[in-house]
Amino acid sequence: DQQVKQNSPSLSVQEGRISILNCDYTNSMFDYFLWYKKYPAEGPTFLISISSIKDKNEDGRFTVFLNKSAKHLSLHIVPSQPGDSAVYFCAASDHGSGNTGKLIFGQGTTLQVKP
Amino acid sequence: DAGVTQSPTHLIKTRGQHVTLRCSPISGHKSVSWYQQVLGQGPQFIFQYYEKEERGRGNFPDRFSARQFPNYSSELNVNALLLGDSALYLCASSLTHPILRSYNEQFFGPGTRLTVL
């Protein structure tokens, strides 16, 4: 049962343009969402997060939008840079389960930013 | 400050063998979680330890076990290795308290690449 889904395995964007990565979830108990970036041979690096009580969180070039009614979140990167080329993972957490150490990850989307 | 460290970086084992993977969290972090990432998938939660106690367990067989030491470092043990255990094993540390309703981001180490032949 895939509770967090990233339906686009890959995305290619021109440098300077906007990258939009999407994520859907099925568990309405999720109350915290995160985006991680992963380069080859490295562990995932935290990018940005959002609580379920918000619908937007912005940090520099990165903005995460949350649509609870649609159970959908997206990560916007503006402007995209070649160094942003990596695999991006969406993850979710349910504090109500009593285990805040458990993240549920999507399958990942490979972003390629072309110069 | 040093980040999360894991050892070894790579490991090759044969079916039926046992393996021990090690993780040192960021200084001051008391929570350690373990994840398995197979090729083409996102990381899957295996265990969380906080203050040397198991606080959560994912859907993995009993061949998988872990422990946390007084210095908050952790070991993941896998017995009777199967070909399907080949994966990247990630350790993450955080300030997360498993009961308090607050959240702290998890910081991941570079992982241990395990190959089972």
Side-chain angles (χ1 to χ4, degrees), chain A residues 26-59:
Chain A
T26 57
N27 189 343
S28 59
M29 299 303 293
F30 287 147
D31 55 4
Y32 204 86
F33 303 89
L34 308 91
W35 284 94
Y36 282 85
K37 177 171 72 173
K38 188 178 185 302
Y39 294 117
E42 294 183 12
T45 303
F46 170 75
L47 269 178
I48 191 169
S49 61
I50 188 167
S51 164
S52 60
I53 63 173
K54 297 184 176 181
D55 55 18
K56 178 182 175 181
N57 188 27
E58 189 173 355
D59 184 2

Side-chain angles (χ1 to χ4, degrees), chain B residues 70-116:
Chain B
N71 66 353
Y72 303 111
S73 66
S74 178
E75 282 183 356
L76 175 70
N77 296 283
V78 187
N79 292 322
L81 285 167
L82 303 174
L83 296 179
D85 295 331
S86 296
L88 179 68
Y89 288 85
L90 295 161
C91 172
S93 77
S94 73
L95 292 168
T96 303
H97 189 292
I99 298 174
L100 294 175
R101 294 181 66 83
S102 62
Y103 193 88
N104 293 281
E105 289 75 22
Q106 294 194 28
F107 297 85
F108 283 84
T112 293
R113 172 72 62 186
L114 172 65
T115 301
V116 182

Side-chain angles (χ1 to χ4, degrees), chain A residues 36 43 89 95 98-101 103 106, chain B residues 35 42 48 56 96-98 103 106 109:
Chain A
Y36 282 85
F89 290 100
H95 287 70
N99 185 342
T100 55
L103 293 178
Chain B
Y35 291 82
Q48 184 202 18
T96 303
H97 189 292
Y103 193 88
Q106 294 194 28

